[in-house]
Amino acid sequence: MDFGDHQQGGSDSQQQLQERRKRQRRHAQEQVQKLEESYKKYDHPNEIECAQLGRELGLETKQVRSWFQNHRTQIKIEHERLENRFLRWENTSLRSEIMAVREALKNSATCPHCVLKDCIDQQELNRENARLKAGLLHCTTSFQQ
């Protein structure tokens, strides 16, 4: 096998992929706006609603259904990213609190139970604060959609 032939075959498939992408139709800005407005009203349209929306926008029913499915997936992924970011932050916070408790217990002349109780109270306050911030973040992202 000649390496030149192998490389040529790879560029052919890349050209085919580029041609396929060119043939794929992107929705016009007006269509996307109308689809997003409709999504706010109902995120799972039935067949009749998809057909009617398709006629209004000059799209096939299948394209409308695909857009809604893709949009739901994008929103779910974004929500999961935010949740994962919050969980990573909470994990880091808890690890640092554990380290602080260990240090306090190691260096403390007071009762370990008292030190631990103070740290647990602080942890509960920190967690409640984080939950409130996450709720506020969720409210602002929901409002923007």
Side-chain angles (χ1 to χ4, degrees):
M1 173 186 247
D2 185 18
F3 289 111
D5 291 341
H6 180 69
Q7 290 174 346
Q8 182 64 30
S11 65
D12 282 346
S13 63
Q14 190 173 11
Q15 286 176 342
Q16 291 170 347
L17 180 63
Q18 288 174 349
E19 288 174 14
R20 198 175 325 125
R21 285 183 181 158
K22 286 180 184 178
R23 284 185 299 220
Q24 289 177 346
R25 185 173 160 201
R26 300 277 181 201
H27 301 304
Q29 186 64 32
E30 299 82 27
Q31 291 173 322
V32 172
Q33 285 176 333
K34 179 67 175 171
L35 287 166
E36 287 176 351
E37 288 172 13
S38 299
Y39 184 86
K40 289 177 184 175
K41 295 175 188 170
Y42 42 85
D43 60 349
H44 285 83
N46 61 33
E47 193 66 28
I48 295 169
E49 292 166 332
C50 284
Q52 180 182 357
L53 196 54
R55 280 191 302 275
E56 290 175 16
L57 299 174
L59 298 172
E60 296 177 18
T61 305
K62 182 178 178 180
Q63 290 175 297
V64 174
R65 279 195 316 262
S66 295
W67 185 91
F68 273 87
Q69 182 177 1
N70 291 341
H71 197 65
R72 285 190 301 269
T73 302
Q74 288 173 351
I75 288 174
K76 179 182 175 186
I77 289 170
E78 184 60 30
H79 177 72
E80 288 172 352
R81 280 187 191 136
L82 289 172
E83 186 176 4
N84 287 339
R85 190 178 308 147
F86 170 73
L87 291 173
R88 277 194 298 274
W89 173 84
E90 189 174 36
N91 186 341
T92 303
S93 176
L94 290 172
R95 286 177 183 265
S96 65
E97 289 174 19
I98 289 170
M99 294 297 288
V101 168
R102 286 182 181 161
E103 277 299 310
L105 288 174
K106 188 173 18 173
N107 298 331
S108 177
T110 62
C111 168
H113 177 71
C114 296
V115 171
L116 190 57
K117 184 183 179 326
D118 290 343
C119 290
I120 289 172
D121 291 344
Q122 184 62 41
Q123 288 174 354
E124 288 175 7
L125 289 173
N126 289 344
R127 276 193 220 107
E128 182 63 21
N129 189 22
R131 283 188 197 100
L132 291 171
K133 286 181 182 177
L136 182 61
L137 178 63
H138 176 71
C139 288
T140 57
T141 56
S142 296
F143 180 71
Q144 290 173 351
Q145 295 173 358

